Every structure is written in structure tokens, then in C-alpha cells.
Amino acid sequence: SDRRLVQNIQHAAAGTPAEVMANPDSVTGAYLSGRKCIAVPAQRRPGNGHFLEVFGAAEHNLKKVDVRVPLGCFVCVTGVSGSGKSSLVNMIPRFYDVTEGCICIDGQDVRHVTQKSIHEHIGIVQQDVFLFADTIFENIRYGKPDATEEQVIEAAKKAEIYEDILAMPAGFQTYVGERGTLLSGGQKQRIAIAGVIAMEPRCIVLDEPTAMLDPKGRKDVIDTVKKLNKEKGITVILITHHMDEAAQAGRVVVLNKGKIAADGTPREVFSQVKLLHDIGLAAPEGVELCWALNQKGFQLPLTALEPEECAQVLYDWVKT
């Protein structure tokens, strides 16, 4: 429920990293068909190649959504405000449960497993990053309190924040202030990502992680996420309304009014320009340029994600 979500946030705000991680699992089960289920630790099972499966999920803004995310996939979920993006994200780690359908991880209904064990598999980076009033070192290892210094340093390097930390007077012992107010927005996001990396999760969920960053900060965060996905095989679920970020994913799911409006590769989805416009979304700049030229009588394929690609498509079209 929303109350459970608020309680989780309030609890995190009240304690130190160690206290939050030591808290007993508060979600013990769910009522299925009127009967209380006893939650057990999630097990890593060999399955059908899908890390996450959503079957007919409905809750809050979602209306019977079906999504399957293969292991190691980089998926972007996009849509206008209120389309159901954050509702879907909050149901994956069981901040609240579906009222219809089910969400499965490794073939296991998340309502049958403990919240603690789910969080051992999934790292979450929110739009409004929460950092504890502690050092950078402690914030990075909050998800894994027994992480060694070497593991913290390695996580910082993978998150592309290591050099920034070394440039600070106290290095990893730098105090970040209440909610990380002594750091820039980009630094806070990358420290949050480093903390998730230190957990060694199988999946990272990012809910509008770049919404408050400048263009360079946005690019740096997305580049870091792409690198983790490509080099470490970590499954990535990115929630964003920035189409240039969505274009970096291997697959794009567009939500509209709680339902899936489009699903496919970036080029497949963004070629449906009229559908996107009707929803209230814009395609990446390259596609929009080709679309605008087509309204003037050209017949260009809507496959150019970048302006440079549009120029090449136009050149090739003129030659033919």
C-alpha cells in the first residue's frame, strides 16, 4: 500500500546505513485468493532466460500490463507523467503489491518472497537520491555493510566517481551533509550508483535518475549505466522521459494511461512518430527531423536517432 511505501521511506530517513540494513524484513507475505502466504527468501533459479516477468499487473496507474525482461537486457520504460512508469517500478521491489496479475523474478512471484531477499537481487536509484548524513565511504557501502575498502573503491571506479572523490580534501571520508547537500547533483547520482554496484545486484532499476542533472551530467550517468550493462551483464531497467536516453537502451516500452502503447527496439518504437505525438511524447531529434522533412514531401525512413543520421538518410535519399 501507499502507507507501506511511506513507512519504508520514513524508516530510511530515520536511521544510519547499518541500522537500515539490519532492520528485519517488514514484508512477510501477501494475501492471495484470500489466504495469507508466508514469504521465504528468493532463490536464484535456472529459468527461461527472463529475469523479470510481469503478467497482467494492475495497481494504482497500471492496467493489466504484460512485460518480460530477459537477463542482461537494457530496457527503457517511458511515457508522460501519470502513465504508470513509477507505479511499475515501485511494484518490482514490493514497495506495494499488485491488485491483479503478478510480478515474477526468476519465475517466483515476488509476493511469495521476502522484501529483503528481493533487494539483494535488485539495486534501485531514484530520481531524488537519498544519501545519509555520513561519509562517502559509508554511503557507498550502505547496501553491503561488510564491503571491503577495495570493493568500495572498485564500485566508485565503475560508477565513474572515483576521480571526483580523490579530488576532495578528505577523499572517501568526505562528509556529504544532510541528504548529500554538500555534493553536486551528478556526484550524488554517481555515488548512489556506486552504492548499488557495491551490492553486486543482478538488476539495477533507475527511476528518472537524470531528471535534475544538466546535459553533461545526464550523459555521464547513462554512459555509466550502459557500461555496466555491456561489461558486467547487469540487467538494467531505466525509467525516463528523455528520448535521447531511451534511444540508448536495447528495448523501449512506452506506457500510456497505464497500458503498453509500444514495445520494441528504439528504432522500431521511435519510427511510430504519430503515435508518440498523440501520447504527448517526442521522438529523438534525428527522427523528428526526418518526420518534419516528410511533411514537406520527402519520403525518408524514420530510423535516424541522431541529427547526423538524419543528414546521412537525406543524403542517401537524394542520391537515389
Side-chain angles (χ1 to χ4, degrees):
S1 67
D2 290 340
R3 177 177 295 181
R4 171 63 62 194
L5 177 58
V6 171
Q7 287 174 340
N8 286 344
I9 295 172
Q10 288 175 335
H11 175 71
T16 65
E19 289 169 346
V20 171
M21 296 309 297
N23 182 52
D25 188 9
S26 58
V27 180
T28 57
Y31 284 93
L32 301 179
S33 301
R35 299 180 61 187
K36 185 69 178 284
C37 297
I38 303 301
V40 298
Q43 302 294 319
R44 186 168 181 174
R45 299 175 178 175
N48 56 7
H50 291 97
F51 174 77
L52 173 71
E53 296 172 286
V54 180
F55 301 104
E59 212 313 320
H60 197 43
N61 288 339
L62 287 184
K63 301 175 182 177
K64 297 185 177 181
V65 167
D66 290 293
V67 178
R68 290 171 177 80
V69 178
L71 285 166
C73 185
F74 182 0
V75 178
C76 172
V77 180
T78 189
V80 298
S81 297
S83 60
K85 304 186 300 295
S86 293
S87 294
L88 177 60
V89 168
N90 287 328
M91 286 191 295
I92 295 172
R94 278 196 75 190
F95 286 154
Y96 47 78
D97 287 325
V98 294
T99 54
E100 293 183 52
C102 67
I103 294 179
C104 297
I105 294 176
D106 282 338
Q108 302 164 90
D109 190 323
V110 296
R111 293 170 294 182
H112 294 177
V113 300
T114 61
Q115 194 179 49
K116 179 177 182 295
S117 62
I118 294 174
H119 294 175
E120 290 172 352
H121 292 287
I122 300 175
I124 300 175
V125 179
Q126 299 279 5
Q127 171 181 332
D128 186 12
V129 170
F130 181 91
L131 294 183
F132 294 96
D134 209 325
T135 65
I136 290 176
F137 185 88
E138 291 300 333
N139 271 283
I140 291 178
R141 72 170 188 174
Y142 87 92
K144 189 177 181 181
D146 60 347
T148 65
E149 182 178 357
E150 290 74 19
Q151 289 173 320
V152 170
I153 291 174
E154 184 62 22
K157 289 180 178 178
K158 290 177 182 176
E160 308 287 346
I161 189 64
Y162 180 69
E163 296 298 332
D164 281 33
I165 295 173
L166 290 188
M168 298 176 189
F172 280 87
Q173 297 307 311
T174 298
Y175 177 72
V176 303
E178 292 291 337
R179 298 182 62 86
T181 53
L182 300 182
L183 303 174
S184 70
Q187 288 172 333
K188 286 169 60 177
Q189 286 287 8
R190 287 195 288 275
I191 287 173
I193 292 174
V196 166
I197 295 171
M199 294 168 52
E200 300 180 330
R202 299 173 58 215
C203 174
I204 297 179
V205 177
L206 304 105
D207 187 3
E208 298 281 7
T210 66
M212 300 180 183
L213 304 182
D214 59 24
K216 182 181 184 306
R218 291 201 298 114
K219 181 179 184 304
D220 289 345
V221 168
I222 296 304
D223 286 347
T224 297
V225 171
K226 284 182 63 178
K227 189 174 181 180
L228 289 171
N229 170 253
K230 184 176 181 180
E231 296 183 1
K232 300 298 179 181
I234 296 175
T235 303
V236 173
I237 302 174
L238 171 67
I239 311 299
T240 184
H241 65 276
H242 292 293
M243 295 300 104
D244 57 332
E245 294 177 6
Q248 303 302 310
R251 176 181 166 198
V252 177
V253 177
V254 180
L255 289 177
N256 181 42
K257 297 180 180 179
K259 297 181 180 180
I260 294 178
D263 185 356
T265 67
R267 294 186 192 279
E268 290 170 344
V269 169
F270 293 136
S271 66
Q272 303 176 61
V273 180
K274 186 178 186 307
L275 180 148
L276 296 175
H277 287 178
D278 289 343
I279 291 173
L281 296 172
E285 191 175 357
V287 176
E288 290 289 349
L289 284 172
C290 289
W291 169 264
L293 288 170
N294 286 350
Q295 306 314 299
K296 301 294 185 181
F298 290 84
Q299 298 178 2
L300 306 178
L302 301 175
T303 57
L305 300 180
E306 302 291 340
E308 294 79 7
E309 287 186 81
C310 180
Q312 183 62 50
V313 167
L314 178 59
Y315 177 75
D316 293 340
W317 185 84
V318 170
K319 283 180 60 179
T320 59

